[in-house]
Amino acid sequence: MPLVPETSALTIQNGSPGFLSTPGRTPTSVTVHPVALFTILDHYLRRTESQDRVIGTLLGTRSDTGEIEVRSAFAVLHSETAEQVAVDMEYHHTMYELHHKVNPKEVIVGWYSTGSNLNTYSALIQNFYSQEIAPHQAIHLALNTGVEEGQQSGVKAYVSSPIGVTPKPENAVFLPIPCELQFKETERSGLDLLSSVSNGSTDAYPATDLDILERSLQSVSDMLDRVLSYVRQVLVGEVKGNAAVGRYLMNTFGASTDELEKGAFNTSLQDTLMVSYLANLVRSQAEVSTRLALATAS
Amino acid sequence: MSAPPSMAAAIAASLPAPQSAPTPAGPTYEAIPASMSKVIDIEADIPLACVQLDGMVVSKIIKHAREAHGTSAHGVLLGLDLDGTLEVSNSFPLPHHINDDDDKSVKGVARYQASMLRSLKEVQADDSVVGFYQAMALGSFYNQTLVETQAIQQEKLRHGGVVIVHDISRTARGNAAFRAFRLTKAFLDAYKRNNFSTESLINHRMTFSSILEEIPIRIRTSPLLGAFLDTLSAPSVSAEPSFAKPSSALPPSFSVLNLGTNNVSKNLEQIIEAMDAYKTEEGNLAYMQRQIAREKGKADAYVAKRKDDNAARIAQGLAPLPEEDVSRLFKIPVEPSRLDSMLLLGRIDAYSKTLEETSSTALVKMYASRGSAVV
C-alpha cells in the first residue's frame, strides 16, 4: 500500500544510499552559474538564420551526493534537418581540451539546448553525451529564451532514463530534476551591476563605494517607510494585522545599539580614523617623491 | 549519429557571414559606400573614446578572477572597434604559465590562443583580439609583465591594445569595478628607446600616473540578457509569503551595509611590502648614481691633469702628449633604468588609495550606526 498519494509526476530515486561517489549515480539536482547562462544566451543570439536552436556542452563539477554544479559552457557546431542530426565531435573535443587547460577542475557534465522541445534528436544527443562521460550520466539543460510568444523564459534540467521494450538510444524519457541558480558573494555585485544597467539606470559608471552605500541605504529607508505605513494602518484598524508579520517585526527591531558604545567599538573607530589618515599620508608622500625625481637634474 | 570532419567544413561554408558589424571590403575590391565609410575604419584612424563591455564578458572575468588564486588571472579580450567605441563582446582566459622565460610555455600559450580563436570563429563569435584583461587584488596592477605585454602588443593590435583591469577585492566589497587603460604616448616613446634614465623621465614628464591613461567604460547588456535578469530578480507571487526565504531567484543584497573593516590588515601588509621594495630599489639607484659620479670624477680629474701636463710641456717647449680617449680608460657605467622604482611607486599609491576608500566607507557606516549617541 503506497504511503504517498499517487501522483503522475516522475521522480528520481537515489540508487543506493550510503555510497559515496558511485559512478553511474543519477544526478539529483543541478545548480547553474550565471556565467553559463549568459554564455548560452550569447550563443543563441549569434546563431545563423538556418538554426532554430543551438546546442553546446556544459562544464562543471560533480559532487559526491549527486549534485551537479554547472560552471561554464561552450557552443558546439551542429546541424539539424528533418532527416538527421549531426554534431561536430572534433570541435567539441578541441574546445574541451582548451577549457580544461585553464581550469582543470571542470569536466563535462552534460549539454544544453535553447529550445524546450524534447524530441528524438534530443534523445540521440543525450545518448552521445552519456557515452562521452560514461559511467556518469549526462544532464540536459533546456533553456527557454522566452522569445516566442506564450513561452516563459526559464531553465529546466533533465536526466534521461531508458523506457520502452527495446533499449534503443531514441527510446528515452527525460525526467526533470530540480535546478537553481547559484553564485558566490563576490559575483553578487557584478550581477547587480548588470541588472542595474539593463534597467536603464543612468548612474555614472564607475560608481564609488559611497554611491553604492547610498543606494542600499535608500532602499532600506523605502522599506522602512512601507513597514511604518502598514503598522499605522493596523493600529488605526484599517487593516487586519497578521500575527506572524507582527512577531517578525518585533524580533527584527528589538535589537538596540546601546552596547555598541562601550568596548571595542570606539577603539575600532579610532583605528579606522588612523588608517585613513595614514593612507592619505602615504599617497601624498608617493606623489612628492615622484615629483622630486623629476626635479633633480642629472 | 556520425559527424565526419568534413561536416564542420560544410557547415562553416554554408553559413552566412558573421552578423556583427559590417565587414571591411578586404580582398573583394569593392568601393565602400559613402554612408559606411565613417563606420568601417580600416586604418584605425578614429581614436578610441570609450570602451563598451558586454554583460557576458563582465561575468566571465569575475568568475575567472575568483577561481584563479592570486593575481595571475589574465586573458584575452575579443571584439570590434566601431566608430570610436571599442566593443568587447567575448573573452577567454589564458592558462597560467609558471615560468615566463621558458620558451615552451610561451609557445604553448600562443598555440592555445590560436586554436581558441579558430574555434570561436566557427561559431560566429568575434575573433579579433582587441586587448587583454587582468585581475588583481586590492588595487595594484602596476607590474612589469603588464607593461611589457602592453608594449609588445601595441604594434600588433589596432589602437594599441586596451587593458581591462578588474579588482576582485573591490567586487567582493560590493562594487564591481572595471577600468580600461592604454599606454600613453610618452611612455611608449621612452619604452621604444628603452631609456628610462633621469633625463628621459624629465623630458617626458613621466610620473607613475602617466604610464597608463584611463578610458571610460560603458557596460551593455543585450536585451535578451536584460529580460532574463529581470525574470530572475522579479519576486514570485505566492499566497503565503514566508519570511525566511526570499521570493525571487535574485534577491537584493545588502552586504554593503555590513560593519567591520575587512582586508585592512592585508592591505597594510602589502603597502609595507611595496615600500620596502621601493626603499631597496632606491638604495640601489643611489648606489649606482654614486658609482657613476665617482667614475666621472676620476675621468674629469684625468682630463684636467692631462691639460695641465700639456700646458707645462708646451711651456717647456716639448711636444704635447696626445689627449687620450678617456672613455676607454674609465668605464662609466650606464645610468640605470628608473622604470622599476616608478612602477613600485605606482603600486604603493594604488594600495593606499584602496585603503583610503575602504576606511572612509567604514567610517561613514560606523558614525551612522552610532545613532542617537552624541558625536
Side-chain angles (χ1 to χ4, degrees), chain B residues 39-62:
Chain B
V39 168
I40 302 177
D41 175 23
I42 305 187
E43 300 297 324
D45 284 332
I46 309 178
L48 278 183
C50 159
V51 172
Q52 179 175 284
L53 277 186
D54 194 48
M56 182 177 81
V57 176
V58 165
S59 54
K60 265 183 148 176
I61 295 182
I62 294 183

Side-chain angles (χ1 to χ4, degrees), chain B residues 7-312:
Chain B
M7 171 66 85
I11 294 176
S14 65
L15 296 173
Q19 323 163 353
S20 44
T23 50
T28 56
Y29 297 99
E30 280 172 2
I32 303 173
S35 56
M36 296 285 214
S37 55
K38 183 161 100 70
V39 168
I40 302 177
D41 175 23
I42 305 187
E43 300 297 324
D45 284 332
I46 309 178
L48 278 183
C50 159
V51 172
Q52 179 175 284
L53 277 186
D54 194 48
M56 182 177 81
V57 176
V58 165
S59 54
K60 265 183 148 176
I61 295 182
I62 294 183
K63 168 182 178 270
H64 181 218
R66 191 178 49 79
E67 285 180 354
H69 299 289
T71 57
S72 59
H74 54 271
V76 177
L77 295 168
L78 306 165
L80 271 178
D81 67 312
L82 204 58
D83 199 16
T85 305
L86 184 70
E87 302 189 6
V88 178
S89 58
N90 205 347
S91 71
F92 59 83
L94 283 176
H96 164 224
H97 38 267
I98 299 138
N99 194 356
D100 274 17
D101 306 329
D102 195 0
D103 219 7
K104 232 172 42 142
S105 75
V106 167
K107 279 211 221 69
V109 168
R111 261 203 311 265
Y112 177 91
Q113 187 164 326
S115 26
M116 195 57 140
L117 286 176
R118 255 201 318 267
S119 315
L120 283 174
K121 190 169 160 67
E122 291 184 6
V123 278
Q124 296 104 42
D126 289 332
D127 72 335
S128 49
V129 177
V130 294
F132 289 84
Y133 71 82
Q134 174 150 348
M136 42 101 185
L138 290 174
S140 99
F141 51 91
Y142 286 100
N143 52 7
Q144 197 77 355
T145 41
L146 176 78
V147 166
E148 277 173 9
T149 337
Q150 274 295 98
I152 289 174
Q153 42 123 336
Q154 188 78 8
E155 298 99 41
K156 286 197 259 164
L157 303 176
R158 290 157 60 99
H159 300 284
V162 164
V163 163
I164 294 207
V165 169
H166 172 241
D167 188 351
I168 188 77
S169 55
R170 205 154 175 224
T171 310
R173 273 208 310 272
N175 184 5
F178 289 87
R179 300 168 76 188
F181 294 101
R182 65 174 161 210
L183 291 178
T184 51
K185 281 204 186 48
F187 182 75
L188 269 180
D189 237 1
Y191 190 83
K192 275 206 188 81
R193 292 192 232 131
N194 212 359
N195 180 7
F196 286 107
S197 61
T198 324
E199 323 96 63
S200 116
L201 284 189
I202 297 177
N203 285 346
H204 293 122
R205 279 184 222 300
M206 256 193 328
T207 64
F208 61 83
S209 45
S210 67
I211 298 182
L212 298 168
E213 62 180 357
E214 187 163 358
I215 315 179
I217 284 194
R218 209 171 44 214
I219 305 220
R220 165 201 170 262
T221 52
S222 60
L224 191 58
L225 192 70
F228 222 81
L229 278 173
D230 276 342
T231 321
L232 284 177
S233 43
S236 58
V237 180
S238 65
E240 205 34 70
S242 72
F243 299 113
K245 260 171 40 101
S247 59
S248 78
L250 210 62
S253 98
F254 297 101
S255 64
V256 71
L257 296 173
N258 283 343
L259 285 179
T261 51
N262 27 6
N263 268 344
V264 163
S265 58
K266 192 151 178 298
N267 207 345
L268 280 173
E269 270 175 24
Q270 284 185 319
I271 292 185
I272 295 178
E273 250 180 53
M275 283 214 270
D276 279 340
Y278 179 68
K279 202 160 82 84
T280 330
E281 187 66 31
E282 279 292 302
N284 284 347
L285 275 178
Y287 179 73
M288 299 286 274
Q289 300 276 38
R290 278 200 299 274
Q291 285 257 22
I292 292 176
R294 232 188 350 247
E295 292 290 318
K296 265 217 181 93
K298 281 202 280 196
D300 287 341
Y302 183 79
V303 166
K305 192 159 135 349
R306 260 299 138 104
K307 275 210 172 67
D308 287 342
D309 281 347
N310 280 343

Side-chain angles (χ1 to χ4, degrees), chain A residues 38-262:
Chain A
F38 298 163
T39 322
I40 301 177
L41 282 175
D42 180 75
H43 181 212
Y44 178 72
L45 279 177
R46 288 177 185 281
R47 77 193 188 294
T48 62
E49 272 88 47
S50 57
Q51 291 175 315
D52 222 359
R53 64 171 181 165
V54 289
I55 71 168
T57 313
L58 295 169
L59 299 172
T61 54
R62 245 177 249 116
S63 85
D64 293 337
T65 54
E67 277 155 20
I68 304 219
E69 189 184 333
V70 174
R71 293 252 192 94
S72 65
F74 60 82
V76 167
L77 290 174
H78 98 294
S79 82
E80 215 171 285
T81 59
E83 293 94 30
Q84 60 156 7
V85 68
V87 173
D88 193 349
M89 283 176 1
E90 194 185 310
Y91 180 85
H92 158 85
H93 283 305
T94 320
M95 282 293 264
Y96 175 57
E97 288 298 324
L98 292 174
H99 272 95
H100 199 68
K101 260 200 222 152
V102 179
N103 215 330
K105 281 202 225 128
E106 293 186 0
V107 291
I108 305 180
V109 294
W111 65 290
Y112 69 82
S113 92
T114 55
S116 66
N117 46 346
L118 305 167
N119 50 14
T120 325
Y121 295 152
S122 310
L124 286 173
I125 303 178
Q126 173 83 4
N127 186 37
F128 160 66
Y129 271 96
S130 289
Q131 278 169 359
E132 281 275 313
I133 62 175
H136 303 277
Q137 291 212 16
I139 58 169
H140 169 53
L141 211 66
L143 186 110
N144 201 335
T145 49
V147 169
E148 293 136 38
E149 306 244 348
Q151 291 201 7
Q152 248 239 326
S153 61
V155 178
K156 298 199 188 71
Y158 300 98
V159 184
S160 84
S161 92
I163 200 175
V165 181
T166 45
K168 279 204 304 191
E170 300 95 69
N171 294 350
V173 66
F174 281 99
L175 301 169
I177 53 179
C179 158
E180 60 176 24
L181 182 74
Q182 209 187 62
F183 43 85
K184 299 283 186 303
E185 256 323 297
T186 37
E187 304 179 9
R188 183 63 228 190
S189 52
L191 284 174
D192 280 341
L193 180 66
L194 288 180
S195 21
S196 76
V197 165
S198 73
N199 283 340
S201 70
T202 50
D203 294 339
Y205 180 81
T208 65
D209 285 351
L210 286 175
D211 284 342
I212 309 253
L213 189 61
E214 180 190 347
R215 266 186 247 153
S216 297
L217 285 176
Q218 188 67 33
S219 67
V220 171
S221 161
D222 287 341
M223 289 199 290
L224 282 175
D225 285 339
R226 281 205 301 271
V227 169
L228 197 57
S229 68
Y230 171 73
V231 168
R232 283 211 187 101
Q233 284 177 335
V234 170
L235 283 179
V236 166
E238 285 174 11
V239 176
K240 184 167 170 321
N242 188 344
V245 173
R247 214 170 304 131
Y248 184 71
L249 285 175
M250 196 173 72
N251 285 341
T252 317
F253 292 120
S256 77
T257 60
D258 283 341
E259 57 271 9
L260 273 186
E261 309 308 315
K262 332 177 179 58

